[in-house]
Amino acid sequence: MATKIRLQRGGRKSYAFYRIVIADARAPRDGRFTEKIGTYNPNTNPATVDLNFDRALYWLEVGAQPTDTVRNILSREGVMLMKHLRGGVKKGAFDEATAQKKFDAWKADKQKGLEKVAADEAKAKKDAAAKALAEEKKVNEAIAKKVADKKAAAAAAEAEVEAPAEAEAPATEEAPAEA
């Protein structure tokens, strides 16, 4: 029986969620499977992968063929590298400790790269928020200036209306006082 490591679709319409399964190559995509070894959610940023590393490595070593997408997922998780390193151990190129040391170095480097990407993304988000805040302050200042100019114009117009009325009022009051 030819086995495949493939994705089995789940989730609702327009929100795909996949299970990573071991299935017979003749079985339909969402049909019968032998074992579920993980999940893959492409809707998050970055995509979320929950994988049983040991079972995935076991199935690769016994000959299960991953689909292209699953191969990429397994590569990102390090399963393909570990399979390669174990092949070197079997051939006698190096021992198990060296293989584990190489894998741990790769994993640390990968983690450092992921942290750098996350930090860059957070910095870009913070810079965008600061830029948006500065633009909003500029717009608010322009609106405040327009409102202040409008109030000043209204106050000036009111002062012009009151000034002639005040000039006429004391004159009429002074005239009867003199008589």
Side-chain angles (χ1 to χ4, degrees):
M1 166 175 104
T3 56
K4 287 272 204 190
I5 304 176
R6 65 162 58 139
L7 296 176
Q8 187 178 49
R9 194 182 194 287
R12 66 177 188 268
K13 184 177 181 180
S14 300
Y15 193 86
F17 184 84
Y18 298 95
R19 287 176 287 287
I20 303 170
V21 298
I22 308 300
D24 185 351
R26 297 167 293 183
R29 178 190 71 177
D30 297 336
R32 187 171 168 186
F33 61 91
T34 307
E35 181 181 350
K36 176 185 165 192
I37 60 171
T39 59
Y40 169 62
N41 185 0
N43 302 305
T44 60
N45 186 17
T48 307
V49 176
D50 180 29
L51 183 68
N52 185 338
F53 188 90
D54 295 330
R55 291 306 291 170
L57 185 59
Y58 165 78
W59 280 105
L60 278 176
E61 287 179 342
V62 296
Q65 294 298 313
T67 60
D68 293 338
T69 305
V70 173
R71 181 181 301 279
N72 289 335
I73 291 169
L74 296 177
S75 292
R76 276 187 262 133
E77 295 297 313
V79 177
M80 300 300 280
L81 176 64
M82 184 54 94
K83 177 182 182 254
H84 174 73
L85 292 173
R86 281 195 175 175
V89 169
K90 286 178 186 173
K91 291 178 183 177
F94 42 83
D95 62 345
E96 185 71 36
T98 307
Q100 189 61 42
K101 190 175 179 182
K102 286 183 179 186
F103 181 74
D104 291 339
W106 174 85
K107 191 118 178 148
D109 187 45
K110 176 116 174 138
Q111 188 63 32
K112 191 185 304 180
L114 290 174
E115 290 171 359
K116 183 181 182 307
V117 167
D120 290 346
E121 196 171 294
K123 185 177 184 284
K125 198 175 199 180
K126 187 177 178 182
D127 291 345
K131 184 179 177 185
L133 181 64
E135 289 176 9
E136 187 175 342
K137 283 183 179 180
K138 191 187 298 184
V139 169
N140 287 344
E141 288 173 3
I143 291 172
K145 185 176 181 198
K146 283 182 182 180
V147 168
D149 291 344
K150 203 178 223 183
K151 284 184 179 180
E158 190 175 304
E160 286 179 17
V161 170
E162 290 178 7
E166 289 175 5
E168 292 174 11
T172 56
E173 290 177 12
E174 290 177 15
E178 291 176 13

